[in-house]
Amino acid sequence: MYLPDFNFHQPDTVQKALDLLEENPDAALMAGGTDLLVEMKKGLRLHGNIVSLAKIPEMKLITQDEKNLYIGACSTHSEVIASSLVGEIAPALVEATTKIGSEQVRNTGTIGGNICTAASCCDTAPILLAMHAFVEIANAGNKRMLPLSEFFTFNKKTILGKGDLVIRFIIPKPESGTGACYEKFGLREAGSISVVSVAVSVKISDGIISDACIVIGAVAPTPKISEQATNMLKGKNVQELAEGMPLLEEVGDAAVRDSIPIGDIRGGAQYRRDVLKVMTKRAIVRAIGNTEIGN
Ligand SMILES: Cc1cc2nc3c(=O)[nH]c(=O)nc-3n(C[C@H](O)[C@H](O)[C@H](O)COP(=O)(O)OP(=O)(O)OC[C@H]3O[C@@H](n4cnc5c(N)ncnc54)[C@H](O)[C@@H]3O)c2cc1C
């Protein structure tokens, strides 16, 4: 199927992009187009105007200050992977991003597009959620910042309203003693969509888990913080969470209780639950093992 005709706009500032959105009520934003153009080709979306974000330098910046890492929404996955800043501050985000699609998709698709598509199986959301990331949103009237945990409302639905544009992601720098990791299970080693994914971050102080976040992906309408599993982890001695320990089993079961998986061509609901338990246990053990990296 061919793409329908549309006007293509390529602004070079955020303000010009916002103006174009206001002037063209049927406009869609496009970053890499790896989701949008596929949906338009399938006839699922129709837009007479496309506003490309690819030529806005501000939206490709990856920077830091004392407290945070900032990643422009239009940074491609390959740019995120290649960034020494991201590698140093958020190695688990690099790990997650490396698992997206193929090299062609990573060279074109962006972190902002991945989050704004809001597929429950998307690979960057779980680790960004586990790292307590924020999202900065602009529209014609103002700029606002909110926790990413408030961004997703349902599968492929977000809080973004008409005229809203995601500018960048803000990731608080992990404190000393923090480790994180991302586990993805797909039907192939490469180029496959997540059937189940789990991101975990833990902070260890004197052998105790003083902070934690467990996020489950592709097993609910949105990537989701598993409150039950997360709460079970906090305050526990890391030795209780070694491979084979009963507590690890219990936390895996808690993550499963928080899931609402569907069955589809990639796996049945019970299969997803079973895999989720295994991935959760594995991710916790790895995140604890990664605590040296962030130090
Ligand atoms: C072959 C193939 C394999 C894939 N494999 C994976 C995979 O393994 N894992 C995975 O997670 N995804 C995968 N994807 C999906 C897709 O590539 C990613 O979600 C990608 O990150 C989307 O980014 P994009 O820049 O191309 O988004 P676009 O297609 O440009 O945009 C996606 C949506 O987000 C909106 N949008 C984009 N940027 C902004 C912004 N800054 N502010 C507001 N709205 C915005 C657009 O309007 C559109 O609705 C795959 C896609 C393909 C085609």
Side-chain angles (χ1 to χ4, degrees):
M1 189 182 256
Y2 293 103
L3 273 172
D5 289 343
F6 52 78
N7 301 316
F8 187 67
H9 307 272
Q10 213 165 29
D12 55 7
T13 64
V14 168
Q15 190 52 54
K16 286 182 193 167
L18 292 172
D19 292 345
L20 282 161
L21 285 182
E22 263 206 314
E23 289 157 19
N24 302 282
D26 74 337
L29 291 170
M30 182 174 107
T34 61
D35 278 326
L36 177 71
L37 296 180
V38 173
E39 289 185 353
M40 287 179 70
K41 264 194 174 181
K42 285 182 182 164
L44 299 172
R45 293 177 67 166
L46 193 62
H47 299 282
N49 290 276
I50 299 291
V51 178
S52 167
L53 303 171
K55 296 276 191 255
I56 303 178
E58 176 189 349
M59 293 192 62
K60 292 183 85 68
L61 287 178
I62 300 180
T63 57
Q64 64 167 335
D65 62 17
E66 225 170 272
K67 288 189 173 162
N68 301 307
L69 169 68
Y70 302 88
I71 303 182
C74 228
S75 306
T76 64
H77 300 306
S78 295
E79 286 163 348
V80 169
I81 292 165
S83 161
S84 53
L85 265 189
V86 183
E88 191 187 309
I89 299 165
L93 175 60
V94 173
E95 182 189 12
T97 307
T98 309
K99 292 179 175 162
I100 292 176
S102 59
E103 194 156 358
Q104 292 94 324
V105 171
R106 292 192 294 272
N107 284 342
T108 314
T110 64
I111 187 167
N114 197 241
I115 293 297
C116 292
T117 291
S120 79
C121 59
C122 81
D123 283 311
T124 59
I127 192 64
L128 288 174
L129 285 165
M131 296 189 74
H132 310 296
F134 291 79
V135 54
E136 188 174 272
I137 299 166
N139 63 29
N142 64 16
K143 254 189 201 177
R144 65 193 196 276
M145 189 174 112
L146 75 155
L148 186 62
S149 55
E150 293 173 16
F151 187 77
F152 304 108
T153 55
F154 200 68
N155 188 37
K156 300 207 170 175
K157 299 266 182 275
T158 71
I159 50 91
L160 289 179
K162 236 187 168 16
D164 280 345
L165 185 160
V166 171
I167 298 185
R168 61 181 180 170
F169 300 95
I170 299 155
I171 304 167
K173 287 187 177 173
E175 291 174 28
S176 167
T178 301
C181 80
Y182 179 68
E183 286 283 340
K184 168 174 178 168
F185 179 81
L187 296 185
R188 295 181 302 273
E189 269 295 306
S192 72
I193 299 293
S194 292
V195 175
V196 173
S197 62
V198 180
V200 173
S201 76
V202 289
K203 183 174 171 233
I204 299 173
S205 317
D206 298 327
I208 303 293
I209 308 275
S210 54
D211 196 12
C213 189
I214 298 181
V215 184
I216 55 182
V219 289
T222 66
K224 183 180 176 196
I225 296 175
S226 169
E227 300 289 351
Q228 296 191 56
T230 298
N231 289 336
M232 210 173 261
L233 220 52
K234 288 182 186 167
K236 299 296 189 315
N237 191 309
V238 280
Q239 283 173 358
E240 290 180 81
L241 290 157
E243 227 162 306
M245 295 298 274
L247 180 61
L248 205 55
E249 298 293 319
E250 287 169 34
V251 182
D253 288 332
V256 171
R257 284 198 297 279
D258 272 341
S259 69
I260 326 164
I262 54 160
D264 65 10
I265 192 169
R266 283 188 278 273
Q270 188 53 45
Y271 177 70
R272 282 189 155 94
R273 285 187 200 98
D274 294 344
V275 175
L276 174 62
K277 180 170 174 180
V278 174
M279 306 297 281
T280 303
K281 293 191 293 180
R282 193 178 291 169
I284 292 167
V285 171
R286 279 192 52 226
I288 291 172
N290 284 346
T291 48
E292 291 311 310
I293 295 172
N295 292 344

